[in-house]
Amino acid sequence: MTEFDGLRAIVTGGASGIGLATATLLAERGATVSVFDLKPDVPAPLTGYRADVSDDSEVRSAVEKAAAAMSGIDILVNNAGIGAQGDVTANDDEEWHRVLDVNVVGMARTTRAALPYLRDSTSAAVVNTCSIAAWQGLPNRALYSASKGAVFGLTLAMATDHLDDGIRVNCVCPGTADTPWVGRLLQAADDPEAERRALEGRQPMGRLVTAEEVAQAIAYLASPSSSSTTGTALAVDGGMYGLRPRPK
Ligand code: NAD
C-alpha cells in the first residue's frame, strides 16, 4: 500500500513544469492521474485530456470524461497558469481579462465542475498553485501578481465554504522555479545568464526552486496524511518570503 493508492487526481497544466512533476509524483505514489492541458501529450501512466481552463464547456466535458474513466475524483490540483510582465500600464484590458480568466477564473471553473465528485470522496483535497508574487512586491509583475493575490484569497474562501463538504483546500507559493516557463523568460532576456543570476540571487538559498520540490509540497497538501491542514499557503521559495539574510 502506498499513500495515494486508490485515489484519483486531476492536475491542470499537467503537461509541463510544476504540473508534470506533480502528476508524475502522484502517479508514482499510487494515484490514478488525469492531466488537463492545451496539448495534453503526457507519458503513461498519466492520461491526458485537452482542456483549456478558460473554456467552461471544455473543462466540464474533460471533468466528466476523467471522472468516468477514473470512477470519481478525490484530488484536484489547479495549477494551469500563464505569465504577464510589466507595470500596471503595460497590458490593455483584453490582456488583463485573459490572464485573470486563466489564472483565477480557470480555478473556479475547474473546481465547480469537479465539486460533485469531490463531495463524494472520503479524502477530498484541492491544491492551488499560487506564487510568492501574492505576498511580495516583485518588479514588473502587476497583472500576474494581481492574479496570484486573487488565488490566495480564493483558496481561503474555498477552504471555508467546503469545510462541511469534507474538502480541504490549500495552496503552494513557489518562488522562481526552474521550469520551461522560466526558461522561456530567460531566453527572451537581453542577457539570459545575467537574468538567471539575478533571479537566483533574489532567493536566499541562492538558486532557483525545482519543479520536483514544488511537486513534493503539493503532494503533501493533497495527501490524506495532511488531513487537518486546510486554508494554508505553503511557501516553496528558497526562503524568499520569510528571510532577510545580509547581502553577501
Ligand atoms: P509551464 O509553462 O512549464 O507549465 C504550465 C502548463 O500550463 C503548460 O503545460 C501549459 O500548456 C498549461 N496551460 C497554460 N494555459 C492553460 C490553459 N488555459 N488551460 C490549460 N492548461 C494551460 O509553467 P510552470 O512554471 O510549471 O507554472 C505552473 C504554475 O506554477 C502556474 O500557475 C504558475 O503561475 C505557477 N508558478 C510558477 C513559478 C515559476 O517560477 N515557474 C513560480 C510561482 C508560481
Side-chain angles (χ1 to χ4, degrees), residues 13 15-19 37-38 51-54 79-82 102 129-131 144 148 174-177 179-182 184:
S16 173
I18 292 168
D37 209 302
L38 302 174
D52 178 343
V53 298
S54 67
N79 166 80
I82 54 176
V102 173
T129 306
C130 189
S131 169
Y144 180 72
K148 293 300 180 176
T176 305
T179 67
W181 167 336
V182 168
R184 289 190 295 273

mmCIF file of all heavy atoms in Angstrom, residues 13 15-19 37-38 51-54 79-82 102 129-131 144 148 174-177 179-182 184, ligand 1:
data_model
loop_
_atom_site.group_PDB
_atom_site.id
_atom_site.type_symbol
_atom_site.label_atom_id
_atom_site.label_comp_id
_atom_site.label_asym_id
_atom_site.label_seq_id
_atom_site.Cartn_x
_atom_site.Cartn_y
_atom_site.Cartn_z
ATOM 1 N N GLY A 13 -2.810 22.010 -16.281
ATOM 2 C CA GLY A 13 -1.468 22.461 -16.672
ATOM 3 C C GLY A 13 -0.445 21.373 -16.371
ATOM 4 O O GLY A 13 0.704 21.658 -16.037
ATOM 5 N N ALA A 15 1.020 19.122 -18.276
ATOM 6 C CA ALA A 15 1.896 18.603 -19.329
ATOM 7 C C ALA A 15 3.291 19.210 -19.292
ATOM 8 O O ALA A 15 4.143 18.877 -20.115
ATOM 9 C CB ALA A 15 1.257 18.844 -20.699
ATOM 10 N N SER A 16 3.558 20.111 -18.334
ATOM 11 C CA SER A 16 4.867 20.779 -18.305
ATOM 12 C C SER A 16 5.192 21.213 -16.878
ATOM 13 O O SER A 16 4.294 21.336 -16.028
ATOM 14 C CB SER A 16 4.814 22.015 -19.224
ATOM 15 O OG SER A 16 5.996 22.786 -19.125
ATOM 16 N N GLY A 17 6.473 21.427 -16.618
ATOM 17 C CA GLY A 17 6.926 22.096 -15.403
ATOM 18 C C GLY A 17 6.378 21.512 -14.103
ATOM 19 O O GLY A 17 6.428 20.296 -13.862
ATOM 20 N N ILE A 18 5.861 22.403 -13.253
ATOM 21 C CA ILE A 18 5.367 22.019 -11.919
ATOM 22 C C ILE A 18 4.211 21.017 -12.035
ATOM 23 O O ILE A 18 4.138 20.048 -11.266
ATOM 24 C CB ILE A 18 4.925 23.285 -11.149
ATOM 25 C CG1 ILE A 18 6.147 24.150 -10.811
ATOM 26 C CG2 ILE A 18 4.143 22.924 -9.891
ATOM 27 C CD1 ILE A 18 5.815 25.563 -10.319
ATOM 28 N N GLY A 19 3.328 21.229 -13.015
ATOM 29 C CA GLY A 19 2.178 20.331 -13.176
ATOM 30 C C GLY A 19 2.618 18.933 -13.556
ATOM 31 O O GLY A 19 2.114 17.940 -13.006
ATOM 32 N N ASP A 37 -4.673 19.822 -20.168
ATOM 33 C CA ASP A 37 -3.740 20.817 -20.706
ATOM 34 C C ASP A 37 -4.174 21.184 -22.115
ATOM 35 O O ASP A 37 -5.045 20.537 -22.702
ATOM 36 C CB ASP A 37 -2.290 20.280 -20.690
ATOM 37 C CG ASP A 37 -1.262 21.404 -20.536
ATOM 38 O OD1 ASP A 37 -1.249 22.328 -21.378
ATOM 39 O OD2 ASP A 37 -0.465 21.372 -19.581
ATOM 40 N N LEU A 38 -3.528 22.222 -22.659
ATOM 41 C CA LEU A 38 -3.816 22.648 -24.028
ATOM 42 C C LEU A 38 -3.293 21.611 -25.018
ATOM 43 O O LEU A 38 -3.926 21.322 -26.027
ATOM 44 C CB LEU A 38 -3.164 24.009 -24.305
ATOM 45 C CG LEU A 38 -3.583 25.149 -23.376
ATOM 46 C CD1 LEU A 38 -2.762 26.411 -23.653
ATOM 47 C CD2 LEU A 38 -5.070 25.439 -23.525
ATOM 48 N N ALA A 51 -8.052 20.310 -22.296
ATOM 49 C CA ALA A 51 -8.987 21.181 -21.570
ATOM 50 C C ALA A 51 -8.315 22.524 -21.353
ATOM 51 O O ALA A 51 -7.340 22.640 -20.611
ATOM 52 C CB ALA A 51 -9.388 20.577 -20.225
ATOM 53 N N ASP A 52 -8.827 23.539 -22.030
ATOM 54 C CA ASP A 52 -8.387 24.914 -21.812
ATOM 55 C C ASP A 52 -9.194 25.422 -20.613
ATOM 56 O O ASP A 52 -10.432 25.488 -20.686
ATOM 57 C CB ASP A 52 -8.701 25.715 -23.087
ATOM 58 C CG ASP A 52 -8.336 27.188 -22.956
ATOM 59 O OD1 ASP A 52 -8.150 27.683 -21.825
ATOM 60 O OD2 ASP A 52 -8.263 27.853 -24.001
ATOM 61 N N VAL A 53 -8.515 25.773 -19.519
ATOM 62 C CA VAL A 53 -9.253 26.156 -18.313
ATOM 63 C C VAL A 53 -10.024 27.479 -18.484
ATOM 64 O O VAL A 53 -10.806 27.830 -17.619
ATOM 65 C CB VAL A 53 -8.351 26.224 -17.049
ATOM 66 C CG1 VAL A 53 -7.752 24.858 -16.740
ATOM 67 C CG2 VAL A 53 -7.280 27.295 -17.182
ATOM 68 N N SER A 54 -9.797 28.170 -19.608
ATOM 69 C CA SER A 54 -10.597 29.376 -19.854
ATOM 70 C C SER A 54 -11.856 29.060 -20.665
ATOM 71 O O SER A 54 -12.591 29.973 -21.037
ATOM 72 C CB SER A 54 -9.760 30.455 -20.542
ATOM 73 O OG SER A 54 -9.419 30.055 -21.840
ATOM 74 N N ASN A 79 -3.404 24.024 -11.284
ATOM 75 C CA ASN A 79 -2.033 24.502 -11.486
ATOM 76 C C ASN A 79 -1.850 25.307 -12.772
ATOM 77 O O ASN A 79 -0.885 26.080 -12.875
ATOM 78 C CB ASN A 79 -1.098 23.280 -11.478
ATOM 79 C CG ASN A 79 0.278 23.583 -12.001
ATOM 80 O OD1 ASN A 79 1.110 24.130 -11.282
ATOM 81 N ND2 ASN A 79 0.530 23.259 -13.275
ATOM 82 N N ALA A 80 -2.759 25.170 -13.737
ATOM 83 C CA ALA A 80 -2.573 25.864 -15.026
ATOM 84 C C ALA A 80 -2.472 27.366 -14.781
ATOM 85 O O ALA A 80 -3.253 27.935 -14.022
ATOM 86 C CB ALA A 80 -3.739 25.564 -15.964
ATOM 87 N N GLY A 81 -1.505 27.992 -15.407
ATOM 88 C CA GLY A 81 -1.345 29.430 -15.241
ATOM 89 C C GLY A 81 -0.453 29.989 -16.337
ATOM 90 O O GLY A 81 0.331 29.263 -16.951
ATOM 91 N N ILE A 82 -0.613 31.288 -16.583
ATOM 92 C CA ILE A 82 0.209 31.973 -17.581
ATOM 93 C C ILE A 82 0.800 33.230 -16.954
ATOM 94 O O ILE A 82 0.301 33.729 -15.948
ATOM 95 C CB ILE A 82 -0.599 32.330 -18.861
ATOM 96 C CG1 ILE A 82 -1.861 33.136 -18.507
ATOM 97 C CG2 ILE A 82 -0.958 31.072 -19.628
ATOM 98 C CD1 ILE A 82 -2.655 33.610 -19.723
ATOM 99 N N VAL A 102 -7.582 32.878 -17.114
ATOM 100 C CA VAL A 102 -6.863 31.595 -16.992
ATOM 101 C C VAL A 102 -6.461 31.353 -15.531
ATOM 102 O O VAL A 102 -6.751 30.305 -14.949
ATOM 103 C CB VAL A 102 -5.608 31.582 -17.899
ATOM 104 C CG1 VAL A 102 -4.773 30.321 -17.643
ATOM 105 C CG2 VAL A 102 -5.995 31.680 -19.367
ATOM 106 N N THR A 129 -2.043 26.281 -7.266
ATOM 107 C CA THR A 129 -0.687 26.814 -7.402
ATOM 108 C C THR A 129 -0.756 28.332 -7.386
ATOM 109 O O THR A 129 -1.227 28.967 -8.330
ATOM 110 C CB THR A 129 -0.003 26.318 -8.689
ATOM 111 O OG1 THR A 129 -0.048 24.885 -8.714
ATOM 112 C CG2 THR A 129 1.459 26.753 -8.715
ATOM 113 N N CYS A 130 -0.323 28.899 -6.267
ATOM 114 C CA CYS A 130 -0.282 30.352 -6.091
ATOM 115 C C CYS A 130 1.139 30.808 -6.444
ATOM 116 O O CYS A 130 1.765 30.257 -7.361
ATOM 117 C CB CYS A 130 -0.689 30.651 -4.647
ATOM 118 S SG CYS A 130 -0.966 32.384 -4.269
ATOM 119 N N SER A 131 1.711 31.754 -5.739
ATOM 120 C CA SER A 131 3.066 32.231 -6.050
ATOM 121 C C SER A 131 3.540 33.165 -4.943
ATOM 122 O O SER A 131 2.725 33.815 -4.271
ATOM 123 C CB SER A 131 3.049 33.017 -7.368
ATOM 124 O OG SER A 131 4.281 33.689 -7.565
ATOM 125 N N TYR A 144 0.257 39.760 -13.205
ATOM 126 C CA TYR A 144 0.494 38.394 -12.689
ATOM 127 C C TYR A 144 0.301 38.366 -11.174
ATOM 128 O O TYR A 144 -0.345 37.460 -10.635
ATOM 129 C CB TYR A 144 1.911 37.954 -13.063
ATOM 130 C CG TYR A 144 2.251 36.562 -12.583
ATOM 131 C CD1 TYR A 144 1.672 35.446 -13.180
ATOM 132 C CD2 TYR A 144 3.153 36.365 -11.541
ATOM 133 C CE1 TYR A 144 1.974 34.166 -12.738
ATOM 134 C CE2 TYR A 144 3.460 35.094 -11.094
ATOM 135 C CZ TYR A 144 2.870 33.995 -11.695
ATOM 136 O OH TYR A 144 3.163 32.725 -11.252
ATOM 137 N N LYS A 148 -2.310 36.201 -8.744
ATOM 138 C CA LYS A 148 -1.907 35.257 -7.689
ATOM 139 C C LYS A 148 -2.408 35.719 -6.315
ATOM 140 O O LYS A 148 -2.707 34.879 -5.457
ATOM 141 C CB LYS A 148 -0.399 35.034 -7.712
ATOM 142 C CG LYS A 148 0.070 34.295 -8.972
ATOM 143 C CD LYS A 148 -0.576 32.909 -9.107
ATOM 144 C CE LYS A 148 -0.102 32.167 -10.353
ATOM 145 N NZ LYS A 148 -0.660 30.795 -10.433
ATOM 146 N N PRO A 174 5.246 28.970 -4.774
ATOM 147 C CA PRO A 174 6.634 28.799 -5.206
ATOM 148 C C PRO A 174 7.329 30.143 -5.408
ATOM 149 O O PRO A 174 6.706 31.132 -5.798
ATOM 150 C CB PRO A 174 6.518 28.079 -6.556
ATOM 151 C CG PRO A 174 5.095 27.616 -6.663
ATOM 152 C CD PRO A 174 4.293 28.555 -5.819
ATOM 153 N N GLY A 175 8.634 30.160 -5.135
ATOM 154 C CA GLY A 175 9.489 31.239 -5.617
ATOM 155 C C GLY A 175 9.774 30.960 -7.083
ATOM 156 O O GLY A 175 9.074 30.173 -7.730
ATOM 157 N N THR A 176 10.797 31.588 -7.648
ATOM 158 C CA THR A 176 11.080 31.341 -9.067
ATOM 159 C C THR A 176 11.574 29.909 -9.230
ATOM 160 O O THR A 176 12.557 29.498 -8.601
ATOM 161 C CB THR A 176 12.120 32.338 -9.598
ATOM 162 O OG1 THR A 176 11.656 33.662 -9.329
ATOM 163 C CG2 THR A 176 12.304 32.175 -11.098
ATOM 164 N N ALA A 177 10.868 29.165 -10.069
ATOM 165 C CA ALA A 177 11.154 27.741 -10.242
ATOM 166 C C ALA A 177 11.714 27.496 -11.636
ATOM 167 O O ALA A 177 11.295 28.139 -12.602
ATOM 168 C CB ALA A 177 9.874 26.935 -10.029
ATOM 169 N N THR A 179 11.527 26.004 -14.549
ATOM 170 C CA THR A 179 10.588 25.251 -15.402
ATOM 171 C C THR A 179 10.724 25.773 -16.837
ATOM 172 O O THR A 179 11.357 26.813 -17.064
ATOM 173 C CB THR A 179 9.126 25.478 -14.940
ATOM 174 O OG1 THR A 179 8.789 26.852 -15.185
ATOM 175 C CG2 THR A 179 8.943 25.155 -13.465
ATOM 176 N N PRO A 180 10.088 25.093 -17.811
ATOM 177 C CA PRO A 180 10.134 25.602 -19.186
ATOM 178 C C PRO A 180 9.654 27.062 -19.289
ATOM 179 O O PRO A 180 10.162 27.833 -20.101
ATOM 180 C CB PRO A 180 9.197 24.646 -19.929
ATOM 181 C CG PRO A 180 9.334 23.356 -19.182
ATOM 182 C CD PRO A 180 9.466 23.752 -17.733
ATOM 183 N N TRP A 181 8.714 27.455 -18.427
ATOM 184 C CA TRP A 181 8.211 28.846 -18.427
ATOM 185 C C TRP A 181 9.348 29.815 -18.142
ATOM 186 O O TRP A 181 9.567 30.793 -18.871
ATOM 187 C CB TRP A 181 7.125 28.926 -17.370
ATOM 188 C CG TRP A 181 6.630 30.275 -16.928
ATOM 189 C CD1 TRP A 181 7.284 31.476 -16.997
ATOM 190 C CD2 TRP A 181 5.371 30.541 -16.347
ATOM 191 N NE1 TRP A 181 6.499 32.462 -16.467
ATOM 192 C CE2 TRP A 181 5.325 31.919 -16.062
ATOM 193 C CE3 TRP A 181 4.276 29.754 -16.003
ATOM 194 C CZ2 TRP A 181 4.223 32.519 -15.469
ATOM 195 C CZ3 TRP A 181 3.191 30.346 -15.413
ATOM 196 C CH2 TRP A 181 3.165 31.711 -15.159
ATOM 197 N N VAL A 182 10.085 29.546 -17.078
ATOM 198 C CA VAL A 182 11.186 30.446 -16.709
ATOM 199 C C VAL A 182 12.296 30.355 -17.758
ATOM 200 O O VAL A 182 12.943 31.349 -18.084
ATOM 201 C CB VAL A 182 11.658 30.146 -15.275
ATOM 202 C CG1 VAL A 182 12.967 30.854 -14.964
ATOM 203 C CG2 VAL A 182 10.572 30.584 -14.280
ATOM 204 N N ARG A 184 11.814 30.043 -20.898
ATOM 205 C CA ARG A 184 11.376 30.939 -21.994
ATOM 206 C C ARG A 184 11.638 32.399 -21.624
ATOM 207 O O ARG A 184 12.107 33.186 -22.448
ATOM 208 C CB ARG A 184 9.875 30.737 -22.284
ATOM 209 C CG ARG A 184 9.530 29.420 -22.958
ATOM 210 C CD ARG A 184 8.074 29.379 -23.434
ATOM 211 N NE ARG A 184 7.093 29.428 -22.376
ATOM 212 C CZ ARG A 184 6.611 28.373 -21.710
ATOM 213 N NH1 ARG A 184 7.046 27.151 -22.006
ATOM 214 N NH2 ARG A 184 5.704 28.512 -20.754
HETATM 215 P P1 NAD B 1 4.860 25.837 -17.571
HETATM 216 O O1 NAD B 1 4.624 26.860 -18.632
HETATM 217 O O2 NAD B 1 6.082 24.989 -17.615
HETATM 218 O O3 NAD B 1 3.584 24.883 -17.458
HETATM 219 C C1 NAD B 1 2.289 25.418 -17.459
HETATM 220 C C2 NAD B 1 1.344 24.456 -18.156
HETATM 221 O O4 NAD B 1 0.036 25.047 -18.107
HETATM 222 C C3 NAD B 1 1.695 24.234 -19.640
HETATM 223 O O5 NAD B 1 1.687 22.853 -19.936
HETATM 224 C C4 NAD B 1 0.598 24.973 -20.374
HETATM 225 O O6 NAD B 1 0.258 24.385 -21.614
HETATM 226 C C5 NAD B 1 -0.559 24.854 -19.377
HETATM 227 N N1 NAD B 1 -1.575 25.880 -19.609
HETATM 228 C C6 NAD B 1 -1.392 27.202 -19.884
HETATM 229 N N2 NAD B 1 -2.568 27.780 -20.108
HETATM 230 C C7 NAD B 1 -3.517 26.828 -19.977
HETATM 231 C C8 NAD B 1 -4.921 26.821 -20.113
HETATM 232 N N3 NAD B 1 -5.601 27.909 -20.465
HETATM 233 N N4 NAD B 1 -5.584 25.661 -19.890
HETATM 234 C C9 NAD B 1 -4.910 24.539 -19.575
HETATM 235 N N5 NAD B 1 -3.581 24.472 -19.452
HETATM 236 C C10 NAD B 1 -2.890 25.612 -19.661
HETATM 237 O O7 NAD B 1 4.778 26.672 -16.215
HETATM 238 P P2 NAD B 1 5.176 26.354 -14.680
HETATM 239 O O8 NAD B 1 6.331 27.208 -14.365
HETATM 240 O O9 NAD B 1 5.219 24.892 -14.420
HETATM 241 O O10 NAD B 1 3.913 27.021 -13.960
HETATM 242 C C11 NAD B 1 2.846 26.249 -13.404
HETATM 243 C C12 NAD B 1 2.140 27.090 -12.361
HETATM 244 O O11 NAD B 1 3.078 27.487 -11.375
HETATM 245 C C13 NAD B 1 1.485 28.371 -12.876
HETATM 246 O O12 NAD B 1 0.232 28.551 -12.242
HETATM 247 C C14 NAD B 1 2.458 29.459 -12.432
HETATM 248 O O13 NAD B 1 1.815 30.698 -12.251
HETATM 249 C C15 NAD B 1 2.935 28.866 -11.138
HETATM 250 N N6 NAD B 1 4.211 29.398 -10.666
HETATM 251 C C16 NAD B 1 5.350 29.246 -11.400
HETATM 252 C C17 NAD B 1 6.544 29.768 -10.930
HETATM 253 C C18 NAD B 1 7.830 29.641 -11.700
HETATM 254 O O14 NAD B 1 8.801 30.350 -11.342
HETATM 255 N N7 NAD B 1 7.923 28.748 -12.699
HETATM 256 C C19 NAD B 1 6.593 30.428 -9.699
HETATM 257 C C20 NAD B 1 5.414 30.570 -8.955
HETATM 258 C C21 NAD B 1 4.228 30.040 -9.460
#
